[in-house]
Amino acid sequence: MSYFTLRSRLARSTAVAATLVTLAAGVAACSSGSGAATTEDGRTVLRYQGSAGQVTYPELAESLGYYESVALDWVGDTTSGPQDIQSAATGQTEFGGAFNGAVIKLAAADSPITSVISYYGSDEQSFNGYYVLEDSPIRTARDLIGKKVGMNTLGAHHEFLVREWLARQGLTPAEIGQVELIVVPPVNTEQALREGQIDVGTLGSVFRETAVARGGIRPLFTDESLFGAFSYGTYVFRDDFIAENRDAVADFVQGTARAIRWAQTTPRAEVIARYKEIIADRGRNESTDLVEFYKSPGVAGPGGTITEQEIRTWLDWLARNGELPEGTFTPADIYTNEFNPYANGTYEPTSGPNGEPVEEAK
C-alpha cells in the first residue's frame, strides 16, 4: 500500500474534527443545484478529509495544476476509510476513499455511491505486512486460533485480508471466528506487539520500515503475497452529486488520474521533494520527516483505472462469507471508469474533462 494511503497511518494522525470547519476563504455563497459551493471564479468546491503528514493524490493533482473547474477544501484528517466514505455518503464531504470491500458494504446499506478511481494498493515496495515476534511460535494460520491480531480499523482492508489469508490456508469459518481482531492505533501497533498485548501486528509504510529496522519481528504474510500488484481502494462520490455535477466529477477524476500517473512515472526523489513542498505550503503545522519513507505509488492500474477484478474479488468474498446475498451487485453497479482518461488502455491521457488535449507537468 502506498505511503499516502489511508491504511498505513502516521504517528501524527489526528482525530476527525467533531464539527467540520467552514469553507476556506474565497468560497462564495452561491452554489449549484446539489448544494455544492463554488469559488468566486466559478470552481466547484470539493470538501474532503486528508491524512496528517501525508499527501493524497487529489492534493498532488491540485499542486501540479491538473484541475480546471474544481477546488479542494480540506475539512480535517481521518485514519479510517469506512468513516471517510460515510462522510461522503452523508454529505459532510463530497468525496472519500476506502477499501473496496467497505465501499461495497456501504452501497449494500442503501448508500447511493459510485467508485470513480483507484487510489491505493500494493506492490513489491509498498505493502502491508502482518508481523509476529521473531521467536513467536506462530508459523501457520492454524496457530492464530485463539490469538489476537491488531489493525487500525475493523470492517476494512486489514480485516478482509486477514480473513482471506486464513481461508486460503484452510481454516473453516468457525475457526476463523476464533481469531480475535482488535483495533490498535497504527502508532501503537509495534509497541503492542513487542509487549505481547497482541500476537500479530499490521504494519505498513513508515511503521513497517522502522519496526523492521529495529529487528526482532518477521512477517507472517503480506497483502502483496496474496494478490501481487493490486489496487484495493477507490474514491467515491454520491450518485446525486455525480448526476448534478458531472463536469466537476470529470475534472476531479482526470486531474487525480494524471497525478497518479505522474507519481507512477516520476523518480522517487522528485516525488518526495514535491510532497515536502506541498506539506510545507499548506500550513498545517506538520513535519515532512516521514515523507522519506515513501517507496512507490502502490496503484496497479495506469492513472488509477479500476479493473473489474478489483471489485469482483470483494463481491465474491462478501457473498462467500454470507455478508451479501449473491447477485446483489455486479461490478458495474459499484464503479465507473467513464471519467478516467487512461481507461482506453493507453498509458497516456487522451484528453481533459471537456475533450481538450492535455499536457503533463514537467
Side-chain angles (χ1 to χ4, degrees), residues 45-163:
V45 175
L46 303 180
R47 297 167 299 167
Y48 76 102
Q49 296 180 117
S51 293
Q54 298 186 10
V55 175
T56 67
Y57 283 123
E59 290 169 332
L60 176 61
E62 187 171 57
S63 173
L64 292 170
Y66 287 164
Y67 295 143
E68 299 176 8
S69 61
V70 300
L72 301 182
D73 179 40
W74 172 74
V75 297
D77 291 327
T78 183
T79 61
S80 170
Q83 186 279 329
D84 197 28
I85 59 175
Q86 180 67 32
S87 291
T90 57
Q92 294 176 295
T93 58
E94 271 61 69
F95 69 89
F99 171 61
N100 287 327
V103 170
I104 294 168
K105 292 179 76 170
L106 184 60
D110 296 325
S111 291
I113 55 173
T114 297
S115 294
V116 295
I117 188 170
S118 291
Y119 76 99
Y120 89 86
S122 63
D123 56 33
E124 290 184 354
Q125 294 179 297
S126 299
F127 60 89
N128 279 275
Y130 300 82
Y131 286 82
V132 297
L133 296 178
E134 188 67 52
D135 59 358
S136 170
I138 297 174
R139 298 282 176 180
T140 69
R142 191 160 298 280
D143 295 332
L144 280 183
I145 295 176
K147 300 298 192 298
K148 297 178 180 179
V149 181
M151 58 192 63
N152 71 316
T153 189
L154 299 181
H157 179 105
H158 298 308
E159 178 174 347
F160 278 65
L161 267 291
V162 168
R163 293 185 184 279

Side-chain angles (χ1 to χ4, degrees), residues 162-172 176 317 320-321:
V162 168
R163 293 185 184 279
E164 175 70 9
W165 182 73
L166 293 172
R168 290 192 185 191
Q169 297 299 307
L171 268 64
T172 67
I176 293 173
W317 194 98
R320 187 170 65 247
N321 286 272

Side-chain angles (χ1 to χ4, degrees), residues 8 24 34 48 56 106 120 129 132 136 167 174 180-181 183 189 236 250 255 258 265 289 318 335:
S8 53
S34 69
Y48 76 102
T56 67
L106 184 60
Y120 89 86
V132 297
S136 170
E180 186 177 359
L181 308 180
V183 175
T189 299
V236 305
R258 291 166 63 196
T265 59
D289 293 348
L318 288 164
Y335 82 100

Side-chain angles (χ1 to χ4, degrees), residues 258 260-267 271 297 347-348 360:
R258 291 166 63 196
I260 292 171
R261 190 62 188 152
W262 181 88
Q264 290 173 327
T265 59
T266 300
V271 176
Y347 285 80
E348 297 298 332
E360 298 303 291

Side-chain angles (χ1 to χ4, degrees), residues 177-356:
Q178 296 177 55
V179 178
E180 186 177 359
L181 308 180
I182 61 175
V183 175
V184 180
V187 66
N188 301 125
T189 299
E190 180 188 355
Q191 180 180 359
L193 177 63
R194 294 188 187 279
E195 292 181 354
Q197 297 171 0
I198 55 177
D199 301 289
V200 181
T202 303
L203 296 169
S205 187
V206 58
F207 300 117
R208 183 189 71 248
E209 296 286 334
T210 55
V212 170
R214 280 186 277 269
I217 63 173
R218 57 180 169 82
L220 190 60
F221 70 98
T222 69
D223 50 15
E224 195 274 336
S225 71
L226 285 177
F227 292 100
F230 195 82
S231 291
Y232 288 105
T234 49
Y235 282 126
V236 305
F237 281 87
R238 298 184 310 279
D239 291 346
D240 65 331
F241 188 90
I242 295 174
E244 297 180 31
N245 301 273
R246 290 184 63 81
D247 289 347
V249 174
D251 189 43
F252 170 84
V253 176
Q254 68 82 26
T256 305
R258 291 166 63 196
I260 292 171
R261 190 62 188 152
W262 181 88
Q264 290 173 327
T265 59
T266 300
R268 174 177 176 270
E270 188 175 341
V271 176
I272 289 174
R274 173 69 73 159
Y275 288 167
K276 287 184 175 181
E277 177 184 324
I278 292 170
I279 292 172
D281 288 348
R282 67 193 184 192
R284 300 181 194 170
N285 193 30
E286 302 162 284
S287 170
T288 62
D289 293 348
L290 297 180
V291 175
E292 296 291 345
F293 289 92
Y294 167 82
K295 296 296 184 182
S296 66
V299 179
T305 302
I306 305 169
T307 69
E308 179 174 313
Q309 189 60 30
E310 289 164 356
I311 304 298
R312 183 175 297 282
T313 293
W314 309 113
L315 284 172
D316 293 346
W317 194 98
L318 288 164
R320 187 170 65 247
N321 286 272
E323 297 185 44
L324 185 72
E326 190 167 352
T328 301
F329 297 117
T330 67
D333 296 324
I334 302 299
Y335 82 100
T336 180
N337 282 319
E338 175 184 1
F339 306 111
N340 195 315
Y342 297 91
N344 62 355
T346 71
Y347 285 80
E348 297 298 332
T350 55
S351 64
N354 298 310
E356 71 280 7

